[in-house]
């Protein structure tokens, strides 16, 4: 498995465990085709039609790749989970340089406790659909393929 | 009255008087006659002939007076006429300072004097810092019946904290603190820490009550490292500075009672300090010289005949202006008149002013910079013409000297006769253990508990090397801690003491040890909703291996 101890055992494992507890489908190292290349996403959480791509980052170097993966998968949300505020600040700075500002719906830069809390908030609100309207309701992806090419 | 109005005879008489040409009986008679107004042809010739000769001779030697030092048991060198320059060896009691660049002949001059002085003093200490300059004199001194002991640095047995004879512990403590701060280049804040710790140790070892087993520098290091109330930066500076010294020359410093300076002062010894670090050299040098100085000053010895002569070829480490106050530079003025003569050789003008003031005899050879010439010229009272002469006329082996004792104080030029010294024996310069038996038999008390002493860092290195060879050196508590880390990934370190069933203080200590040993790695991860990022520990391969070993032992 790629990634180090903090990346895998601390950040991703905790989020995956929490998401599983909520009944979501959790996939580690999900393969994503971007053009002719195959990349791997750290964690894909699926609950119904809602797809969340979680990427744990220890630095701001590979942010552009993460955005491309999320666009390719057409996920509802992309979570960039970082270990501490220093890396968080670095990622925000990198995004501002890429002219994509944080705060855009669907893109979140989270510390571990913030990610776990968001999971609680998110899945607390999502129940199994019990009306026809909700069954037909489709979640529109924020970042579409082709809109951002890194 | 203008000079041309003065008769020539009177001018010559004045010249002769100024240059002390009339000090003989005949000269004094001539002076008497002149004062009575007698100036016949005989008187005229008795004045003008020596004046003419002197002027001719002076024309060949430049702006410096021909030296009028011709009586004494010590030959300093030969003047430009080839005549020996003599003065009594007791003049060396006022200390000598020689300044000259590399290759100017300072060592040759020192050797020349050693061969003459050695049988006139009870003790002779020569310090070889890099090259073995003085050991070559051994066979030559042996012809005079003098046994010159050559002692390598690592054969010494010293304890800097050992109080010299006649010096009280409360007087010795601040002196040795100043030496430690200077040689180890500690911050000034460490002075207080060292002073209080040394006094506490003296109390603990019963030194104030007359105890004779002194604490060592090992004891000092351990006491400071264990002092929780000490200023952290001062403590760390002391420990970090002492560790390499103790590891490098631990075999020298491992004595509660080392060689006493009074015993060494009765012998002719060459201390060969090459092969040790600069810090070690400085510490050894100061540990040998300062106790003897302090002991003599404390005894109130006054103006005896010089009985100990110290020759230090690179004295800048003793007297540099960069060194902090205290130590040798402070004592050099007091030591004068206690029977110790210093012969210091330096390469540059970087010297504490008190050393210039307290060295009566000054010698100058070829230097590298005008600043060096300016400083020593000013202290020797050279006039402008004499100062200008230096830049282009000094060469290796040629010196300008000034003797501070006696009646002749004028600077003069001399050269050292060439010596062709060679090792006449086949034995290596460092003494065999038979040769040092005399010193090895001196009473000492070794601190056996420090025989295998190693600093914390080297203990960590042992642990790392043991872990790579498969040997586990973790204690039970450390194993519990590692297991808590492995079983609880992502837990902040503040929660681990409880999980490992130990106090947080102990856990902190164990965590630090394990991180230093390479068992764990620290990361900063935000684990709480508020506040700063916590420390999360990652178990590395040695930690995982230790757990596996423990598990396999448990199953077997």
């Amino acid at each position: 498995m790629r990634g180090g101890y903090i990346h895998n055992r601390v950040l991703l494992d905790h989020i995956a465990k929490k998401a599983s507890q909520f009944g979501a489908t959790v996939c580690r190292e999900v393969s994503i085709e971007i053009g002719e290349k195959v990349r791997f996403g750290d964690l894909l959480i699926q609950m119904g039609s809602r797809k969340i791509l979680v990427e744990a980052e220890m630095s701001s170097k590979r942010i552009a790749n993460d955005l491309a993966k999320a666009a390719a998968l057409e996920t509802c949300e992309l979570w960039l989970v970082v270990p501490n505020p220093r890396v968080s600040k670095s990622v925000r700075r990198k995004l501002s340089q890429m002219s994509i500002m944080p705060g855009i719906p669907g893109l979140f830069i989270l510390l571990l406790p913030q990610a776990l809390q968001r999971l609680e908030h998110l899945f607390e609100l999502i129940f199994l659909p019990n009306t026809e309207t909700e069954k037909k309701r489709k979640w529109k992806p924020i970042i579409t393929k082709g809109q951002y090419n890194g | 009255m203008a000079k041309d109005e003065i008769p020539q005879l009177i001018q010559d008489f004045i010249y002769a008087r100024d240059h002390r040409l009339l000090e003989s009986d005949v000269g004094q008679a001539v002076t008497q006659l002149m004062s009575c107004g007698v100036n016949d042809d005989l008187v005229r010739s008795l004045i003008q002939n020596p004046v003419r000769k002197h002027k001719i001779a002076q024309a060949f030697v430049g702006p410096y007076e021909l030296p009028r030092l011709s009586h004494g048991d010590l030959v300093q060198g030969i003047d430009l006429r080839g005549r020996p320059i003599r003065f009594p060896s007791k003049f060396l009691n006022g200390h000598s300072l020689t300044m000259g660049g590399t290759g100017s002949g300072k060592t040759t001059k020192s050797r020349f004097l050693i061969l003459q002085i050695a049988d006139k003093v009870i003790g002779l200490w020569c310090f070889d810092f890099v090259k073995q300059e003085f050991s070559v004199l051994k066979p030559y001194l042996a012809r005079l019946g003098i046994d010159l002991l050559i002692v390598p640095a690592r054969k010494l047995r010293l304890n800097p904290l050992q109080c010299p004879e006649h010096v009280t512990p409360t007087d010795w403590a601040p002196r040795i603190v100043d030496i430690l701060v200077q040689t180890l280049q500690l911050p000034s804040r460490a002075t207080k820490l060292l002073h209080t710790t040394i006094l506490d140790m003296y109390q603990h070892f019963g030194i104030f009550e007359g105890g004779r087993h002194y604490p060592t520098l090992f004891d000092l290091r351990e006491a400071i490292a264990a002092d929780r109330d000490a200023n952290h930066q001062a403590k760390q500076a002391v420990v970090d500075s002492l560790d390499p010294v103790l590891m490098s020359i631990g075999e020298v410093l491992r004595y509660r009672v080392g060689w006493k300076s009074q015993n060494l002062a009765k012998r002719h010894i060459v201390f060969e300090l090459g092969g040790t670090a600069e810090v070690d050299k400085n510490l050894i040098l100061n540990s040998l010289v300062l106790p003897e100085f302090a002991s003599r000053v404390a005894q109130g010895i006054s103006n005896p005949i010089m009985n100990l002569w110290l020759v230090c070829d690179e004295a800048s480490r003793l007297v540099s202006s960069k060194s902090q106050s205290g130590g040798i530079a402070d004592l050099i003025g007091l030591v004068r008149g206690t029977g110790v003569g210093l012969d210091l050789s330096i390469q540059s003008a970087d010297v504490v002013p008190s050393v210039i003031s307290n060295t009566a005899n000054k010698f100058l050879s070829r230097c590298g910079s005008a600043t060096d010439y300016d400083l020593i010229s000013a202290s020797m009272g050279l006039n402008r013409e004499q100062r200008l002469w230096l830049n282009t006329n000094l060469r290796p082996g040629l010196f300008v000297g000034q003797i501070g004792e006696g009646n002749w104080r004028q600077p003069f030029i001399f050269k050292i006769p060439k010596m062709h010294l060679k090792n006449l024996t086949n034995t290596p310069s460092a003494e065999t253990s038979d040769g040092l038996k005399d010193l090895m038999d001196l009473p000492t008390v070794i601190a056996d508990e420090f025989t295998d002493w190693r600093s914390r860092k080297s203990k960590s290195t042992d642990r790392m090397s043991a872990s790579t060879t498969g040997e586990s050196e973790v204690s039970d508590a450390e194993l519990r801690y590692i297991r808590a880390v492995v079983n609880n990934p992502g837990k902040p370190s503040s929660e681990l003491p409880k999980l490992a069933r130990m106090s947080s203080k102990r856990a902190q200590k164990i965590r630090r040890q394990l991180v230093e040993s390479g068992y764990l790695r620290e990361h900063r991860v935000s684990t709480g909703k508020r506040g700063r990022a916590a420390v999360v520990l990652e178990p590395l391969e040695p930690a995982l291996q230790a757990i596996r070993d423990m598990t396999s032992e448990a199953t077997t």
Side-chain angles (χ1 to χ4, degrees):
Chain A
M1 192 184 288
R2 299 173 306 134
Y5 181 80
I6 299 295
H7 182 278
N8 293 334
R9 297 297 305 278
V10 177
L11 297 179
L12 293 179
D13 277 1
H14 280 76
I15 296 173
K17 186 178 172 186
K18 190 92 175 190
S20 301
Q21 283 171 355
F22 280 118
T25 308
V26 175
C27 296
R28 299 287 289 264
E29 298 291 315
V30 58
S31 64
I32 306 165
E33 285 182 15
I34 302 176
E36 292 177 356
K37 292 182 185 175
V38 176
R39 298 192 193 274
F40 294 90
D42 288 339
L43 188 67
L44 182 67
I45 299 172
Q46 278 182 296
M47 184 72 150
S49 58
R50 193 180 189 87
K51 281 197 290 188
I52 302 169
L53 178 63
V54 179
E55 290 285 342
E57 296 293 345
M58 307 300 285
S59 71
S60 58
K61 289 179 188 170
R62 299 177 62 81
I63 302 302
N65 291 342
D66 298 337
L67 293 171
K69 289 179 214 172
L73 275 182
E74 295 181 348
T75 55
C76 307
E77 291 182 7
L78 169 63
W79 293 4
L80 301 174
V81 181
V82 293
N84 54 56
R86 185 183 62 81
V87 179
S88 171
K89 205 189 263 184
S90 171
V91 167
R92 287 176 200 280
R93 205 179 302 128
K94 184 72 178 273
L95 286 171
S96 68
Q97 289 168 2
M98 290 159 60
S99 69
I100 292 179
M101 300 301 295
I104 296 171
L107 174 60
F108 296 90
I109 300 158
L110 303 167
L111 299 171
L112 176 62
Q114 292 167 345
L116 296 175
Q117 190 173 44
R118 182 157 180 82
L119 271 177
E120 288 173 8
H121 292 168
L122 219 56
F123 290 107
E124 218 176 333
L125 300 174
I126 296 175
F127 298 98
L128 291 172
N130 56 8
T131 63
E132 288 295 322
T133 318
E134 282 187 0
K135 272 185 188 175
K136 291 173 188 172
R137 192 172 182 179
K138 281 190 180 178
W139 291 99
K140 193 178 177 184
I142 301 300
I143 302 170
T144 54
K145 197 173 179 177
Q147 206 172 27
Y148 173 75
N149 292 321
Chain B
M1 198 177 190
K3 196 175 176 186
D4 50 2
E5 295 174 347
I6 301 173
Q8 184 61 40
L9 178 63
I10 301 300
Q11 289 184 35
D12 290 342
F13 178 72
I14 293 171
Y15 182 96
R17 192 194 58 186
D18 288 343
H19 291 86
R20 302 188 184 199
L21 302 179
L22 301 175
E23 287 183 344
S24 61
D25 292 337
V26 171
Q28 287 177 18
V30 166
T31 307
Q32 189 87 11
L33 289 169
M34 284 293 292
S35 65
C36 296
V38 177
N39 59 356
D40 59 4
D41 289 340
L42 177 61
V43 168
R44 208 173 285 120
S45 67
L46 287 174
I47 292 171
Q48 288 173 345
N49 283 343
V51 166
R52 190 182 313 115
K53 281 185 187 170
H54 190 270
K55 282 185 177 177
I56 291 170
Q58 193 62 48
F60 283 99
V61 298
Y64 288 89
E65 290 275 351
L66 288 164
R68 299 181 64 80
L69 296 162
S70 54
H71 301 285
D73 56 346
L74 182 69
V75 176
Q76 178 63 51
I78 50 177
D79 65 17
L80 295 181
R81 295 173 297 180
R83 297 181 190 177
I85 297 169
R86 290 179 169 273
F87 54 82
S89 57
K90 66 178 181 181
F91 284 6
L92 296 182
N93 213 354
H95 310 319
S96 306
L97 181 69
T98 306
M99 184 188 297
T102 309
S104 59
K106 302 188 299 295
T107 306
T108 307
K109 173 179 157 296
S110 297
R111 286 177 182 162
F112 183 66
L113 290 180
I114 288 170
L115 288 172
Q116 300 176 69
I117 296 289
D119 64 342
K120 295 181 175 58
V121 290
I122 298 171
L124 170 68
W125 291 355
C126 305
F127 293 93
D128 263 332
F129 288 106
V130 180
K131 296 179 277 188
Q132 291 156 355
E133 312 268 24
F134 299 121
S135 53
V136 71
L137 297 173
K138 183 177 171 69
Y140 298 93
L141 291 179
R143 292 181 190 170
L144 300 173
I146 294 170
D147 183 19
L148 184 66
L149 300 172
I150 317 291
V151 184
R154 297 185 193 281
K155 295 277 190 188
L156 293 167
R157 295 178 179 181
L158 303 172
N159 182 1
L161 301 185
Q162 179 179 343
C163 297
E165 292 289 324
H166 311 287
V167 180
T168 61
T170 40
D171 285 343
W172 181 242
R175 291 198 190 283
I176 194 59
V177 164
D178 286 339
I179 291 299
L180 288 174
V181 169
Q182 176 195 335
T183 55
L184 300 178
Q185 297 177 342
L186 297 172
S188 54
R189 190 140 196 181
T191 307
K192 295 189 181 79
L193 175 61
L194 282 170
H195 197 176
T196 49
T197 310
I198 289 175
L199 289 175
D200 284 342
M201 288 198 305
Y202 280 163
Q203 184 74 41
H204 178 72
F205 278 75
I207 303 301
F208 293 114
E209 286 80 36
R212 288 293 180 186
H213 285 199
Y214 294 90
T216 64
L217 285 184
F218 290 95
D219 296 303
L220 177 65
R221 187 262 182 216
E222 296 297 337
I224 286 179
D227 187 349
R228 293 174 188 280
D229 297 329
N231 174 266
H232 176 73
Q233 285 167 339
K235 182 167 93 167
Q236 205 58 49
V238 171
V239 169
D240 288 347
S241 299
L242 269 179
D243 277 354
V245 172
L246 295 175
M247 290 171 68
S248 169
I249 53 171
E251 68 264 53
V252 173
L253 302 170
R254 205 179 293 137
Y255 291 87
R256 297 212 178 279
V257 177
W259 289 339
K260 293 186 182 176
S261 62
Q262 296 93 302
N263 293 331
L264 298 178
K266 297 173 189 165
R267 290 164 169 83
H268 293 65
I269 305 174
V270 173
F271 297 99
E272 288 193 334
L273 305 186
T276 54
E278 290 301 308
V279 172
D280 303 340
K281 285 175 191 165
N282 287 342
L283 183 61
I284 290 174
L285 180 63
N286 283 282
S287 300
L288 284 165
V289 174
L290 185 64
E292 182 60 19
F293 281 15
S295 175
R296 289 185 182 231
V297 170
Q299 290 176 65
I301 296 171
S302 179
N303 295 324
I305 298 170
M306 185 176 75
N307 51 41
L308 173 63
W309 197 48
L310 268 62
V311 180
C312 194
D313 202 25
E314 288 184 34
S316 53
R317 60 194 70 238
L318 276 177
V319 297
S320 165
S321 61
K322 290 187 191 71
S323 57
Q324 297 170 26
S325 64
I328 308 296
D330 272 358
L331 282 178
I332 194 168
L334 298 172
V335 159
R336 185 177 179 147
T338 61
V340 177
L342 285 176
D343 185 66
L344 307 172
S345 298
I346 55 177
Q347 287 194 6
S348 74
D350 175 28
V351 64
V352 178
S354 62
V355 171
I356 302 274
S357 309
N358 287 298
T359 44
N361 311 314
K362 294 183 180 56
F363 305 99
L364 175 63
S365 184
R366 184 190 64 185
C367 290
S369 78
T371 314
D372 298 337
Y373 285 129
D374 289 341
L375 177 79
I376 202 79
S377 303
S379 63
M380 291 167 79
L382 302 186
N383 60 34
R384 188 170 173 276
E385 197 183 350
Q386 289 169 333
R387 164 69 186 88
L388 289 173
W389 184 91
L390 297 173
N391 284 64
T392 51
N393 291 280
L394 280 178
R395 58 183 185 272
L398 192 67
F399 289 83
V400 173
Q402 185 196 34
I403 303 300
E405 308 281 348
N407 295 324
W408 178 260
R409 302 285 183 89
Q410 299 292 327
F412 57 93
I413 300 173
F414 68 99
K415 49 188 177 184
I416 302 296
K418 276 190 183 169
M419 295 186 295
H420 300 283
L421 301 173
K422 49 188 175 182
N423 259 322
L424 297 181
T425 64
N426 290 329
T427 55
S429 64
E431 281 283 357
T432 60
S433 49
D434 286 341
L436 292 179
K437 189 176 182 304
D438 181 38
L439 286 177
M440 294 302 163
D441 287 342
L442 289 173
T444 55
V445 174
I446 191 169
D448 284 315
E449 61 268 37
F450 297 118
T451 307
D452 291 325
W453 181 89
R454 274 174 291 190
S455 70
R456 180 194 294 270
K457 282 186 186 161
S458 61
K459 283 179 194 160
S460 305
T461 310
D462 284 344
R463 202 202 289 266
M464 284 173 72
S465 63
S467 66
T468 55
T469 58
E471 302 164 23
S472 179
E473 275 202 3
V474 288
S475 63
D476 287 339
E478 287 168 341
L479 215 49
R480 279 206 321 271
Y481 193 88
I482 291 172
R483 199 157 25 151
V485 172
V486 170
N487 293 342
N488 298 278
K491 279 273 189 225
S493 59
S494 54
E495 294 184 25
L496 293 174
K498 198 171 178 182
L499 295 167
R501 300 191 313 278
M502 60 179 65
S503 68
S504 54
K505 234 179 194 179
R506 194 169 178 212
Q508 204 176 12
K509 190 180 167 188
I510 286 175
R511 177 185 122 197
R512 194 169 45 240
Q513 285 172 355
L514 292 174
V515 170
E516 281 176 5
S517 310
Y519 281 73
L520 300 174
R521 184 182 294 151
E522 290 178 345
H523 297 274
R524 286 269 170 200
V525 180
S526 293
T527 54
K529 294 173 187 173
R530 296 174 54 187
R532 64 180 180 180
V535 173
V536 171
L537 297 169
E538 173 190 353
L540 300 176
E541 185 52 37
L544 297 171
Q545 184 63 41
I547 296 291
R548 284 194 288 265
D549 292 342
M550 185 193 74
T551 313
S552 62
E553 277 174 19
T555 52
T556 55

